[in-house]
Structure formats: structure tokens, C-alpha cells
Amino acid sequence: MIIEKHDLHHEFPEFSDEIHNLKMNDAHFARLFKAYHELDQEVRHIEQGAENTSDEYLDQQKMQRLHLKDELFAIIKKEKATT
């Protein structure tokens, strides 16, 4: 089974500069980015079989990851529009 990478740099390679600038200069974005990264790592560990959880828990974590990604992407798009 191939586990897809969902880190922001793989999801949005065209916004690499904006992601870097926001991580360095926007504390709110940096907190969300860190939370997203940690959640993505947890989901990947579960999908790889390193952790056992219920399907419901995994689905819940995936939904939370998606919510964070949407929130981060909105901030990235706003940053792109101002540069």
C-alpha cells in the first residue's frame, strides 16, 4: 500500500515561497502549520500500521487534517494575493 504524502509542500508546491514566508512571519499560520504537520504524521503512522485505532478515529483525524489544510490554504491564497 502506497501512503500518499499530504504535507503542505507536496500539496501546494506552487506556493512554496508563501508557505516559507508565512511560517517565518505569521505566528498563527506557524501554529496551524505545526498542528497540521503533527496530525498528518499521526494519520500516516496509522495508515502504515504503526498505530492501531478504530476506523472512526482515523476518519475523524483525516477530517481534522482536511479542515486545517483548508484553513491554511485560505491564508496562503491571501498571502499570494498581497505579494
Side-chain angles (χ1 to χ4, degrees), residues 5-14 19:
K5 290 190 174 191
H6 288 279
D7 64 276
L8 288 184
H9 292 286
H10 280 90
E11 292 286 318
F12 308 119
E14 68 277 19
I19 292 169

mmCIF file of all heavy atoms in Angstrom, residues 5-14 19:
data_model
loop_
_atom_site.group_PDB
_atom_site.id
_atom_site.type_symbol
_atom_site.label_atom_id
_atom_site.label_comp_id
_atom_site.label_asym_id
_atom_site.label_seq_id
_atom_site.Cartn_x
_atom_site.Cartn_y
_atom_site.Cartn_z
ATOM 1 N N LYS A 5 1.629 11.354 0.426
ATOM 2 C CA LYS A 5 2.123 12.444 1.256
ATOM 3 C C LYS A 5 1.141 13.593 1.190
ATOM 4 O O LYS A 5 0.676 13.966 0.122
ATOM 5 C CB LYS A 5 3.496 12.905 0.789
ATOM 6 C CG LYS A 5 4.577 11.899 1.050
ATOM 7 C CD LYS A 5 5.930 12.495 0.793
ATOM 8 C CE LYS A 5 6.986 11.500 1.210
ATOM 9 N NZ LYS A 5 8.303 12.093 1.222
ATOM 10 N N HIS A 6 0.827 14.147 2.369
ATOM 11 C CA HIS A 6 -0.127 15.252 2.435
ATOM 12 C C HIS A 6 0.491 16.492 3.063
ATOM 13 O O HIS A 6 -0.242 17.426 3.405
ATOM 14 C CB HIS A 6 -1.374 14.841 3.227
ATOM 15 C CG HIS A 6 -2.251 13.887 2.485
ATOM 16 N ND1 HIS A 6 -3.145 14.290 1.535
ATOM 17 C CD2 HIS A 6 -2.350 12.539 2.555
ATOM 18 C CE1 HIS A 6 -3.765 13.232 1.041
ATOM 19 N NE2 HIS A 6 -3.303 12.156 1.648
ATOM 20 N N ASP A 7 1.822 16.516 3.230
ATOM 21 C CA ASP A 7 2.402 17.724 3.794
ATOM 22 C C ASP A 7 2.169 18.885 2.826
ATOM 23 O O ASP A 7 1.976 18.695 1.631
ATOM 24 C CB ASP A 7 3.886 17.533 4.113
ATOM 25 C CG ASP A 7 4.711 17.288 2.875
ATOM 26 O OD1 ASP A 7 4.784 16.122 2.438
ATOM 27 O OD2 ASP A 7 5.270 18.264 2.351
ATOM 28 N N LEU A 8 2.160 20.096 3.358
ATOM 29 C CA LEU A 8 1.779 21.257 2.544
ATOM 30 C C LEU A 8 2.684 21.482 1.350
ATOM 31 O O LEU A 8 2.226 21.925 0.300
ATOM 32 C CB LEU A 8 1.732 22.519 3.403
ATOM 33 C CG LEU A 8 0.579 22.614 4.379
ATOM 34 C CD1 LEU A 8 0.595 23.959 5.085
ATOM 35 C CD2 LEU A 8 -0.758 22.401 3.702
ATOM 36 N N HIS A 9 3.958 21.187 1.485
ATOM 37 C CA HIS A 9 4.874 21.393 0.353
ATOM 38 C C HIS A 9 4.562 20.443 -0.803
ATOM 39 O O HIS A 9 4.764 20.787 -1.959
ATOM 40 C CB HIS A 9 6.329 21.271 0.804
ATOM 41 C CG HIS A 9 6.743 22.397 1.701
ATOM 42 N ND1 HIS A 9 6.972 23.670 1.242
ATOM 43 C CD2 HIS A 9 6.939 22.454 3.029
ATOM 44 C CE1 HIS A 9 7.303 24.445 2.246
ATOM 45 N NE2 HIS A 9 7.292 23.734 3.346
ATOM 46 N N HIS A 10 4.065 19.248 -0.499
ATOM 47 C CA HIS A 10 3.644 18.326 -1.560
ATOM 48 C C HIS A 10 2.260 18.689 -2.088
ATOM 49 O O HIS A 10 1.974 18.510 -3.267
ATOM 50 C CB HIS A 10 3.631 16.878 -1.053
ATOM 51 C CG HIS A 10 4.975 16.251 -1.034
ATOM 52 N ND1 HIS A 10 5.803 16.317 0.053
ATOM 53 C CD2 HIS A 10 5.646 15.569 -1.985
ATOM 54 C CE1 HIS A 10 6.928 15.691 -0.229
ATOM 55 N NE2 HIS A 10 6.863 15.225 -1.452
ATOM 56 N N GLU A 11 1.401 19.174 -1.215
ATOM 57 C CA GLU A 11 0.050 19.535 -1.619
ATOM 58 C C GLU A 11 0.034 20.798 -2.483
ATOM 59 O O GLU A 11 -0.744 20.900 -3.417
ATOM 60 C CB GLU A 11 -0.835 19.761 -0.380
ATOM 61 C CG GLU A 11 -1.103 18.510 0.419
ATOM 62 C CD GLU A 11 -2.090 17.582 -0.258
ATOM 63 O OE1 GLU A 11 -3.086 18.042 -0.806
ATOM 64 O OE2 GLU A 11 -1.839 16.364 -0.235
ATOM 65 N N PHE A 12 0.888 21.767 -2.123
ATOM 66 C CA PHE A 12 0.882 23.064 -2.798
ATOM 67 C C PHE A 12 2.301 23.497 -3.185
ATOM 68 O O PHE A 12 2.797 24.524 -2.717
ATOM 69 C CB PHE A 12 0.267 24.137 -1.889
ATOM 70 C CG PHE A 12 -1.068 23.777 -1.317
ATOM 71 C CD1 PHE A 12 -1.254 23.684 0.053
ATOM 72 C CD2 PHE A 12 -2.155 23.526 -2.144
ATOM 73 C CE1 PHE A 12 -2.492 23.366 0.592
ATOM 74 C CE2 PHE A 12 -3.392 23.199 -1.618
ATOM 75 C CZ PHE A 12 -3.560 23.117 -0.250
ATOM 76 N N PRO A 13 2.968 22.758 -4.052
ATOM 77 C CA PRO A 13 4.356 23.106 -4.385
ATOM 78 C C PRO A 13 4.490 24.486 -5.024
ATOM 79 O O PRO A 13 5.526 25.136 -4.878
ATOM 80 C CB PRO A 13 4.783 21.998 -5.356
ATOM 81 C CG PRO A 13 3.515 21.438 -5.890
ATOM 82 C CD PRO A 13 2.490 21.608 -4.808
ATOM 83 N N GLU A 14 3.437 24.946 -5.678
ATOM 84 C CA GLU A 14 3.489 26.254 -6.331
ATOM 85 C C GLU A 14 3.473 27.412 -5.322
ATOM 86 O O GLU A 14 3.735 28.560 -5.686
ATOM 87 C CB GLU A 14 2.327 26.408 -7.326
ATOM 88 C CG GLU A 14 0.954 26.481 -6.697
ATOM 89 C CD GLU A 14 0.302 25.142 -6.357
ATOM 90 O OE1 GLU A 14 0.991 24.107 -6.255
ATOM 91 O OE2 GLU A 14 -0.928 25.127 -6.186
ATOM 92 N N ILE A 19 4.460 29.669 1.727
ATOM 93 C CA ILE A 19 4.433 28.814 2.921
ATOM 94 C C ILE A 19 5.635 29.130 3.804
ATOM 95 O O ILE A 19 5.491 29.310 5.016
ATOM 96 C CB ILE A 19 4.410 27.323 2.529
ATOM 97 C CG1 ILE A 19 3.074 26.974 1.868
ATOM 98 C CG2 ILE A 19 4.654 26.427 3.749
ATOM 99 C CD1 ILE A 19 3.036 25.609 1.206
#
